């Protein structure tokens, strides 16, 4: 990874512009081998803090009432990995992290497998984190698991760990969601897709029901953040 950074000097600057940080995690020792970007800006804690303290340091900075949710998402992830195509595996999940001054921020963690052993077990994980506090609020967490062939999306209660698997959106619904994200009205979408406005509005309501969300702004923010659209 050091060589990658040396050969690509824009990496650190790109991460800073995106207000994101990248880390390499050794799953055998549960240590952060290296961090890139500015984790201090994202989480309030420095790269040295994470490298010295490992994953246990990360866990210690979660609000206590979020433990159940994080543990449930970890369990769902561990159940998924053995049957997944690890080469294309990605996991997205969010959590709150307490900063040194006592405030908390909502963080999105995107993971992919960096190296595997001969049996297919993940040895090193690449993790990208970003602050999504301005996009997602409330006491629920989400987990998206994908290997390029399937998508699993879960909604998790942070305090109880209770979860529900969400119904996936259809191709037509995703198409409409992308257009909504471009701020095109239902009437405009109907004209573009040769549908009735009533049909478009029905799809919009079905999307909210499937994702268990209250309004389209929340839905589009979620779908974009989790790279579903």
């Amino acid at each position: 990874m050091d060589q990658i950074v040396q050969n690509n000097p824009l990496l650190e600057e790109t991460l800073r512009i995106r207000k994101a940080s990248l880390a390499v995690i050794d799953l055998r020792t549960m240590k952060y081998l290296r961090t890139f970007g500015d984790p201090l800006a994202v989480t309030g804690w420095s790269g040295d803090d994470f490298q010295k303290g490992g994953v246990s340091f990360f866990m210690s900075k979660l609000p206590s009432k979020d433990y159940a949710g994080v543990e449930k998402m970890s369990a769902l992830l561990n159940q998924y990995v053995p049957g997944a195509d690890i080469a294309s595996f990605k996991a997205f999940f969010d959590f709150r992290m307490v900063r040194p001054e006592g405030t908390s921020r909502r963080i999105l963690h995107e993971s992919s497998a960096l190296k595997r052993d001969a049996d297919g077990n993940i040895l090193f994980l690449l993790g990208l984190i970003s602050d999504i506090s301005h996009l997602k609020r409330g006491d629920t967490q989400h987990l998206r698991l994908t290997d390029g062939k399937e998508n699993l999306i879960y909604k998790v209660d942070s305090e109880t760990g209770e979860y529900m698997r969400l119904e996936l959106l259809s191709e037509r619904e995703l198409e409409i969601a992308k257009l909504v994200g471009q701020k095109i009205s239902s009437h405009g979408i109907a004209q573009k897709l040769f549908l009735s406005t009533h049909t478009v509005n029905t799809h919009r309501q079905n999307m909210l029901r499937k994702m268990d969300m209250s309004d389209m702004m929340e839905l589009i923010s979620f779908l974009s953040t989790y790279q579903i659209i």
Side-chain angles (χ1 to χ4, degrees):
M1 291 300 293
D2 288 336
Q3 185 178 4
I4 292 174
V5 173
Q6 291 168 5
N7 293 338
N8 294 274
L10 291 179
L11 175 60
E12 293 272 359
E13 184 62 24
T14 300
L15 290 171
R16 286 194 173 93
I17 291 173
R18 289 187 56 190
K19 296 182 179 179
S21 181
L22 192 67
V24 179
I25 308 165
D26 185 338
L27 295 184
R28 298 166 302 179
T29 62
M30 301 304 283
K31 295 290 186 182
Y32 293 91
L33 301 183
R34 180 70 193 273
T35 60
F36 308 95
D38 190 358
L40 184 64
V42 180
T43 67
W45 304 97
S46 70
D48 286 343
D49 291 327
F50 286 99
Q51 287 179 243
K52 290 176 182 177
V55 174
S56 61
F57 172 80
F58 154 73
M59 291 296 295
S60 73
K61 303 309 174 188
L62 300 178
S64 57
K65 66 179 183 178
D66 283 7
Y67 287 166
V70 171
E71 287 177 351
K72 175 53 66 176
M73 290 192 294
S74 296
L76 290 169
L77 195 158
N78 289 333
Q79 291 171 15
Y80 177 80
V81 166
D85 180 357
I86 297 300
S88 303
F89 161 77
K90 279 190 177 182
F92 302 77
F93 60 94
D94 65 87
F95 52 88
R96 286 178 290 193
M97 182 166 250
V98 179
R99 299 170 70 90
E101 68 275 13
T103 63
S104 65
R105 305 292 291 175
R106 176 76 62 180
I107 306 296
L108 176 71
H109 192 291
E110 177 185 343
S111 304
S112 59
L114 191 60
K115 186 176 181 179
R116 299 168 292 165
D117 64 15
D119 297 321
N121 300 308
I122 302 174
L123 300 178
F124 299 100
L125 201 65
L126 195 62
L128 178 70
I129 59 171
S130 56
D131 186 341
I132 60 168
S133 301
H134 60 298
L135 297 174
K136 191 170 188 291
R137 294 178 173 82
D139 293 326
T140 58
Q141 297 164 283
H142 286 87
L143 168 68
R144 177 192 172 208
L145 300 169
T146 181
D147 63 358
K149 299 175 183 176
E150 67 172 346
N151 258 316
L152 300 180
I153 303 174
Y154 297 92
K155 182 177 181 179
V156 183
D157 185 288
S158 302
E159 294 192 48
T160 66
E162 295 180 357
Y163 70 97
M164 61 184 291
R165 180 174 168 181
L166 300 177
E167 185 179 351
L168 297 179
L169 302 185
S170 68
E171 289 299 320
R172 176 63 88 184
E173 288 167 342
L174 290 172
E175 186 178 21
I176 290 172
K178 290 177 184 177
L179 295 173
V180 172
Q182 296 171 21
K183 304 189 184 305
I184 300 176
S185 67
S186 291
H187 178 69
I189 294 172
Q191 289 186 316
K192 190 177 183 67
L193 300 182
F194 304 102
L195 302 171
S196 70
T197 301
H198 174 74
T199 297
V200 172
N201 287 332
T202 298
H203 279 305
R204 290 172 69 132
Q205 291 304 312
N206 286 339
M207 286 189 279
L208 292 175
R209 174 185 57 79
K210 288 181 177 181
M211 293 290 104
D212 196 29
M213 293 184 179
S214 58
D215 59 69
M216 289 303 295
M217 183 177 295
E218 179 187 18
L219 174 66
I220 299 305
S221 292
F222 170 75
L223 295 176
S224 299
T225 300
Y226 274 73
Q227 297 181 28
I228 298 169
I229 59 173

